[in-house]
Amino acid sequence: MDFVPLIDRVGEEMTATLGGGVIGFILGFALLKTGFCTRMAVIDTVRGRSLVGPATWLLGFAAALLAVQAMLYSGVIAVDTSRFFATGQSLSGALIGGAIFGIGMVLTRGCVSRLLVLGAAGNLRAIYSLVFVALAAYATLYGFLTPGRDAIAPLLSTAAIGGNALVDHTGGGNVTGVILGAVAAVIAFALAARAKLGFGQSIGAVIVGLTVAAAWYFTATLTAQLFEPIAIDSISFIRPLAQTSGALIGTVALPTFDFGLVIGTFVGGLVAALVLGRFKVATFSEPGAPHILRYTIGAVMMGFGGVLAAGCSIGAGLTGGSVLAASALLALLSMAIAGAVTDTVFDRPREQSSG
């Protein structure tokens, strides 16, 4: 796709921002419409209460994996210079950071993407949590939490396993990724059928995954047409939120693709909430709402853990997972296990006691 006419009209930075905004808008609408959330998928699985959450999540993951691997196999995009493969990645950060993030997403009752669209739908608890996620991520990248990151990240690198590309360890190359994507898609649709997912819910989940592929395509294509190339990447919210908070204090320049992504996702969630009649103001004063301290601790843990893990449950889970980055898949697994354990030992006994 030729972005040069748009670049000539609005400039390089604004083109990147607009692309992030359009992709984010579609993502935000689909996220709110489907209730796509890693935390909910984990809790539904552990408690055995419903297949809807896991089926919705797996459809999104499978769509992202198959679409991205098909583009890699056909040579439409290349991700060798992306953050997952250009340098060695921290496996210790993925494991420990993923676990910290997983605990945090249960305490705040939503992964970062879920909090973003819930905030757009009027949930003030979600907006409060996002502020602390952003501040903690910024402090981990540039501030007083950096020593903690620097102490954990170097403990174990992907160099110890011979690289971060999972397909390189199979000997099958990119065709292996396509096969894995096809298998994941078959399993996802089988689970969706068993969960009796409606057509709209299924399409919405697939759209979530396809926005990940669209972002990979957009950044990979755009950077080849820019005088000052941007990083080849896809959807993530930890770094964008940190940069947004940095922009407010004048240390990070905007606009960027990431900024457009955050704003677009929020607006998409807001439009979906209004169109679907789901806009409702929710505060900490509501009966049964967890204490504000719980949200604060959980949000800080997500900000710190997300930076360590090189992404949130979408940034590592779907974006990194779609290119079969070993560190990202380890982070996703760690998030899921830690989230499941936290729900089992913290939330379920409290809910059973209340019941």
Side-chain angles (χ1 to χ4, degrees):
M1 183 177 291
D2 185 9
F3 295 109
V4 173
L6 182 60
I7 294 171
D8 291 340
R9 176 178 287 270
V10 301
E12 295 183 350
E13 291 181 343
M14 188 55 67
T15 299
T17 303
L18 288 174
V22 171
I23 293 171
F25 180 88
I26 297 171
L27 174 66
F29 195 101
L31 285 173
L32 191 76
K33 171 69 172 62
T34 61
F36 187 99
C37 178
T38 304
R39 167 189 168 270
M40 189 59 66
V42 169
I43 291 178
D44 282 350
T45 300
V46 172
R47 298 190 183 188
R49 64 185 184 186
S50 173
L51 291 175
V52 172
T56 300
W57 188 92
L58 188 57
L59 275 175
F61 178 82
L65 177 60
L66 182 57
V68 172
Q69 290 300 317
M71 287 193 294
L72 290 170
Y73 178 74
S74 61
V76 173
I77 64 171
V79 295
D80 296 348
T81 60
S82 72
R83 60 189 172 93
F84 293 105
F85 306 115
T87 59
Q89 295 295 295
S90 173
L91 292 177
S92 53
L95 182 63
I96 298 173
I100 294 172
F101 182 95
I103 296 170
M105 75 175 180
V106 171
L107 293 180
T108 56
R109 307 182 79 175
C111 55
V112 179
S113 59
R114 180 65 176 163
L115 293 177
L116 195 57
V117 295
L118 283 179
N123 191 315
L124 300 184
R125 299 193 298 268
I127 292 177
Y128 173 87
S129 299
L130 286 170
V131 170
F132 278 89
V133 170
L135 292 175
Y138 182 84
T140 307
L141 283 169
Y142 311 110
F144 71 95
L145 292 178
T146 301
R149 181 199 69 187
D150 291 343
I152 296 173
L155 296 177
L156 182 62
S157 164
T158 50
I161 61 171
N164 200 29
L166 193 62
V167 294
D168 290 346
H169 300 288
T170 66
N174 287 333
V175 68
T176 302
V178 176
I179 294 172
L180 289 175
V183 171
V186 170
I187 296 174
F189 279 106
L191 185 61
R194 185 174 179 184
K196 298 181 179 179
L197 239 59
F199 179 77
Q201 181 78 0
S202 299
I203 292 299
V206 170
I207 289 174
V208 170
L210 292 182
T211 58
V212 172
W216 276 119
Y217 174 80
F218 175 75
T219 57
T221 304
L222 180 63
T223 193
Q225 302 173 23
L226 296 179
F227 181 74
E228 295 184 4
I230 62 173
I232 298 173
D233 207 343
S234 184
I235 295 170
S236 184
F237 290 106
I238 291 294
R239 183 188 64 250
L241 284 174
Q243 290 181 339
T244 300
S245 64
L248 295 177
I249 58 177
T251 60
V252 178
L254 295 177
T256 61
F257 172 81
D258 287 343
F259 177 72
L261 179 67
V262 170
I263 298 302
T265 303
F266 186 88
V267 174
L270 173 61
V271 172
L274 295 174
V275 170
L276 302 173
R278 298 184 186 177
F279 188 90
K280 180 182 178 182
V281 175
T283 68
F284 288 102
S285 63
E286 294 182 353
H291 195 276
I292 191 172
L293 182 61
R294 167 179 168 146
Y295 283 88
T296 307
I297 294 172
V300 170
M301 293 182 75
M302 281 203 292
F304 179 72
V307 170
L308 266 179
C312 59
S313 54
I314 284 189
L318 266 67
T319 289
S322 69
V323 293
L324 295 176
S327 61
L329 293 172
L330 177 62
L332 176 62
L333 179 63
S334 185
M335 291 174 189
I337 293 175
V341 172
T342 303
D343 177 68
T344 300
V345 304
F346 191 75
D347 275 352
R348 290 183 68 179
R350 185 174 64 87
E351 291 177 13
Q352 291 170 354
S353 176
S354 298

